[in-house]
Amino acid sequence: MKNDNLKIIDGSTIAVIGGGPAGSAAAIKLIKEAGGKGIKIKVIIFEGKDFDRHYNQCVGVLSYPIREIFERNLDMRFPEHLIKREISGYVLHPSDNSTLELSGERGTYATRRILFDRFMLAAAQELGADVIRSRVTDTEFNGSGIVKVYTEDGFLKADAVVGAFGLDDGIAGVMEHASRHAFAYKRPPKVLDTLVAKAHIDLNMMQEIFGSRIHAFIPLELKKIEFGAITPKGDHIIINIAGRNLTSVDMDNFLGYPPVRGLIKGLNLAGLDYYKGKYPIRPAGGIIGDRFAAVGDATGLIRPYKGKGINVALETGAKAAEIMINNGISASALSAYPQAFDHLRADFFYGRLFRLLVILSIKTGFVERVMAMAQSDPYLRDVLFKVVSGEGTYHDIVHEIFSMKEFAALGYNFFRHLPLAVFKAKPYADR
Ligand SMILES: Cc1cc2nc3c(=O)[nH]c(=O)nc-3n(C[C@H](O)[C@H](O)[C@H](O)COP(=O)(O)OP(=O)(O)OC[C@H]3O[C@@H](n4cnc5c(N)ncnc54)[C@H](O)[C@@H]3O)c2cc1C
């Protein structure tokens, strides 16, 4: 049965599961958008963490165009006071002995993630959202009826639910189960493991070695690590790695990897804590249903290598809220929401193709030639900058590479090495 008449009206209650950037953005936009139409609603955010003590796994880089997202999507001023460092560029380390500097980053800032999450949640609360510090343990959707939300503290009846629970396995499983009966959260996103370490650093050393550049690594010898990075913050650096089935031994190995060791050799690494997390690499199978929209990481709409997860969280949270208020909360009314992100979904094919090309290029050592060419070729440097900074789509990047006049020579060399690459490469299979 179609429920095309489901609408948010005076007195409606919307439960937001998760108070990260996506959940807070959704709550802010729900309240603003409803207020603009004179509709009185109740927004309740359930958040299991206490952001005074726990924080969400993240390096904390707010990427361009974060300012515009705040102003355009949320009608809010960008929180300048949270900036710890402005990022000016990147240093790529594709192998042990080659580096490539890419400058020209703009409007990208390092922040402390815990402060950012606190700021966003407080902004939602100031507008009138209720925050309940409790985990949601189950939900019941039965088509046209009210949704029941079970928490560690009790029970709530809601007219609609925003799924902003990130990559939390527990609740994703619950939603997947609930979707069998009523809606379409058929499959949580596929993920890579991540490990993060934070090391304090003397300010002179910070300036001398890192300045305001992010160092990015693709350490071929460390087979389980797909990529790693070191990001300068206020008075510390964040070291992060991503790959499949990572353990603390992989982080130990990364810290000992010569190009990384070279950068951090003056640091006291004794007693360094590691934090584990996940990174989506393939979208969830369905993100809307009657009275339901998933937002942020729960949608898995993040592009490989590009990050910008916070941007996507804010954009999807705000868009889902806008559509809920203006179009309604039936699956068909909400279909305009995923359509607004078709460009991200469409780019997944190119993102996966690009990821495979990168892995094969590294396995063959072909990447060294690309880096050497990029030293003197501004066009190629520009393409690589777009890859690392996350500007533009993979579709455009792949086409820019194919339209390079040197592409014929590059392509010839690449394909000459391909059989060996396929033999050596066991691409990091997605889970
Ligand atoms: C190692 C690492 C580094 C990253 N670095 C960056 C970066 O520098 N820049 C960037 O833009 N992105 C980065 N990302 C991605 C970014 O962290 C995410 O894309 C972003 O946090 C997504 O926001 P979200 O609100 O969807 O999910 P989350 O931030 O994960 O928030 C989900 C919230 O839901 C809560 N929750 C979950 N289940 C329940 C439940 N059952 N009941 C109640 N609450 C629940 C959780 O406690 C959590 O607070 C990084 C990710 C990783 C893993």
Side-chain angles (χ1 to χ4, degrees):
M1 185 180 69
K2 275 190 140 192
N3 294 308
D4 288 344
N5 296 325
L6 298 177
K7 300 269 182 217
I8 297 290
I9 53 172
D10 263 345
S12 292
T13 297
I14 299 147
V16 179
I17 308 177
S24 295
I28 289 167
K29 190 71 173 182
L30 280 166
I31 295 171
K32 287 192 175 180
E33 203 72 14
K37 298 183 85 144
I39 306 172
K40 292 197 182 67
I41 58 168
K42 202 169 168 60
V43 175
I44 300 179
I45 303 174
F46 293 98
E47 173 50 61
K49 285 182 185 151
D50 171 356
F51 291 144
D52 286 337
R53 290 187 298 131
H54 312 123
Y55 65 95
N56 289 332
Q57 267 288 314
C58 188
V59 172
V61 173
L62 301 175
S63 305
Y64 176 82
I66 188 76
R67 275 175 191 280
E68 285 80 348
I69 292 173
F70 264 86
E71 285 157 19
R72 188 184 57 219
N73 301 44
L74 292 168
D75 195 19
M76 274 171 84
R77 284 171 70 88
F78 176 69
E80 308 282 347
H81 63 286
L82 296 182
I83 298 176
K84 297 291 171 199
R85 191 171 291 271
E86 184 160 359
I87 300 298
S88 64
Y90 306 86
V91 183
L92 302 189
H93 300 256
S95 68
D96 272 16
N97 44 27
S98 62
T99 58
L100 178 70
E101 289 222 24
L102 300 168
S103 55
E105 185 54 287
R106 59 196 164 129
T108 291
Y109 312 98
T111 186
R112 274 194 70 201
R113 177 60 196 265
I114 194 167
L115 298 181
F116 184 76
D117 282 359
R118 260 190 238 159
F119 166 82
M120 290 298 295
L121 202 53
Q125 269 178 302
E126 270 165 38
L127 286 168
D130 286 337
V131 177
I132 299 185
R133 300 283 176 180
S134 181
R135 281 185 65 78
V136 170
T137 53
D138 207 349
T139 54
E140 262 175 43
F141 289 80
N142 55 9
S144 56
I146 283 284
V147 188
K148 281 134 194 153
V149 179
Y150 297 87
T151 77
E152 286 166 338
D153 282 343
F155 170 74
L156 176 90
K157 288 181 182 166
D159 297 276
V161 168
V162 175
F165 38 76
L167 296 168
D168 187 284
D169 284 332
I171 188 70
V174 164
M175 299 309 278
E176 201 184 350
H177 181 74
S179 76
R180 284 190 204 132
H181 307 296
F183 61 91
Y185 197 65
K186 296 268 181 274
R187 189 189 62 230
K190 284 199 169 188
V191 295
L192 283 183
D193 289 335
T194 60
L195 275 170
V196 169
K198 171 179 169 181
H200 284 275
I201 176 168
D202 170 86
L203 287 183
N204 290 330
M205 186 179 165
M206 174 80 99
Q207 213 41 47
E208 209 176 291
I209 298 178
F210 295 100
S212 52
R213 298 162 314 169
I214 295 175
H215 288 254
F217 306 82
I218 305 190
L220 175 60
E221 298 91 295
L222 308 179
K223 297 216 177 329
K224 282 161 68 188
I225 301 179
E226 193 164 322
F227 63 90
I230 304 182
T231 304
K233 306 288 285 279
D235 59 356
H236 63 272
I237 53 172
I238 297 274
I239 304 156
N240 70 297
I241 54 174
R244 198 163 57 92
N245 299 327
L246 293 184
T247 67
S248 57
V249 174
D250 298 302
M251 180 58 102
D252 293 341
N253 292 340
F254 184 67
L255 297 176
Y257 175 58
V260 173
R261 201 175 54 223
L263 287 170
I264 60 172
K265 60 177 178 277
L267 292 184
N268 175 12
L269 300 179
L272 210 61
D273 287 330
Y274 301 163
Y275 302 89
K276 225 172 170 192
K278 281 180 253 165
Y279 198 77
I281 52 168
R282 208 179 81 180
I287 59 171
I288 52 160
D290 281 344
R291 302 178 184 272
F292 176 80
V295 296
D297 271 8
T299 67
L301 284 171
I302 294 186
R303 291 171 288 195
Y305 296 116
K306 288 202 168 187
K308 294 201 182 213
I310 296 173
N311 293 17
V312 173
L314 301 181
E315 287 177 302
T316 50
K319 184 51 95 181
E322 187 190 312
I323 304 271
M324 277 184 160
I325 300 295
N326 292 306
N327 293 22
I329 49 175
S330 67
S332 58
L334 286 169
S335 62
Y337 157 56
Q339 278 163 20
F341 295 93
D342 273 352
H343 59 289
L344 290 184
R345 207 170 274 279
D347 212 30
F348 252 87
F349 166 75
Y350 288 94
R352 288 172 77 83
L353 176 69
F354 189 82
R355 186 165 161 241
L356 185 68
L357 290 177
V358 169
I359 292 169
L360 291 174
S361 303
I362 292 167
K363 301 265 179 195
T364 53
F366 179 67
V367 72
E368 300 272 355
R369 299 175 71 96
V370 176
M371 293 298 142
M373 272 180 70
Q375 301 283 4
S376 57
D377 184 333
Y379 184 86
L380 184 53
R381 265 206 313 280
D382 188 49
V383 172
L384 290 171
F385 177 82
K386 285 184 183 151
V387 173
V388 184
S389 67
E391 274 193 35
T393 61
Y394 278 116
H395 170 274
D396 292 349
I397 289 167
V398 168
H399 279 87
E400 280 181 38
I401 293 173
F402 284 0
S403 63
M404 282 173 62
K405 58 181 187 307
E406 298 84 356
F407 177 71
L410 272 175
Y412 171 72
N413 269 298
F414 180 80
F415 286 109
R416 209 158 57 95
H417 289 94
L418 195 60
L420 177 65
V422 173
F423 178 70
K424 287 208 276 182
K426 195 160 173 273
Y428 307 82
D430 305 340
R431 279 195 280 145

